[in-house]
Amino acid sequence: QVQLVQSGAEVKKPGASVKVSCTASGYTFTNYYIHWMRQAPGQGLEWMGIINPSGGSTTYAQKFQGRVTMTSDTSTSTVYMELSSLSSEDTAMYYCAKRGVVGSTAFFDYWGQGTLVTVSS
Amino acid sequence: AIQMTQSPSSLSASVGDRVTITCRASQGIRNDLGWYQQKPGKAPKLLIYGASSLQGGVPSRFSGSGSGTDFTLTISSLQPEDFATYYCLQDYNYPWTFGQGTKVEI
């Protein structure tokens, strides 16, 4: 069965960076894009960007341009999301999600369990 | 970026009620819209894709409609397990954008 397993919770100081992993299993890793979203406490969902695990091409939300880096490691079926220059506003649950496609329609059919990143001095 | 305006932001309903949630896009997005359900402490779950296609395993009481800028999620007969927050998501172009969510409460 398809699974996305994310790394554990992180506590970081302002100004630091965090790197969250998302390891996929149960499908051909290189065939499907992975997206990253985040959700601040009590807030809605925010799309951060997308990576094509085959080749590593990325598209980032403008809000995170220059601060986010998404990479993939096909040998371990793992994608990474690194966010730098953290502030308290980056405290959130971070999710990876697999993109599914039916015809020309795309959607998130599988999600990771989430990784809580807390930024605090 | 395309803005998705979801309404209402919250609603109170009873088991057996018919519930309707709407989502409006700031520009036409064809039928490139999905609906997701999120329960506290859990990742979202796909309900509807392509505006009206039911994801496998999702109960048939959930349905979606709409095209262009106006979309609707309907729960025909609310069940206890349906109390959750619902989000629309446009996948027409990047950045993909979510509605602000609708919390369905008892």
Side-chain angles (χ1 to χ4, degrees), chain A residues 81-119:
Chain A
M81 187 284 299
E82 184 170 22
L83 190 63
S84 62
S85 301
L86 293 169
S87 72
S88 59
E89 295 180 351
D90 295 313
T91 293
M93 185 72 79
Y94 288 76
Y95 292 104
C96 63
K98 171 185 166 290
R99 172 179 166 168
V101 176
V102 172
S104 62
T105 298
F107 43 82
F108 300 137
D109 53 0
Y110 292 93
W111 294 67
Q113 82 277 18
T115 297
L116 181 62
V117 175
T118 302
V119 183

Side-chain angles (χ1 to χ4, degrees), chain A residues 33 35 37 39 43-47 50 59 61-62 93 95 99 102 104-109 111-114, chain B residues 30-33 36 38 41-46 48-51 55 87 89 91 94-100:
Chain A
Y33 292 8
H35 294 242
M37 274 72 61
Q39 187 170 38
Q43 302 301 309
L45 293 156
E46 182 175 31
W47 185 85
I50 179 175
T59 299
Q62 187 171 11
M93 185 72 79
Y95 292 104
R99 172 179 166 168
V102 172
S104 62
T105 298
F107 43 82
F108 300 137
D109 53 0
W111 294 67
Q113 82 277 18
Chain B
R30 303 181 306 195
N31 66 339
D32 294 335
L33 184 114
Y36 295 79
Q38 187 178 33
K42 299 293 187 181
K45 171 188 172 184
L46 175 66
I48 302 283
Y49 64 91
Q55 172 70 341
Y87 294 94
L89 168 68
D91 56 89
Y94 295 130
W96 288 14
T97 44
F98 291 90
Q100 72 271 33

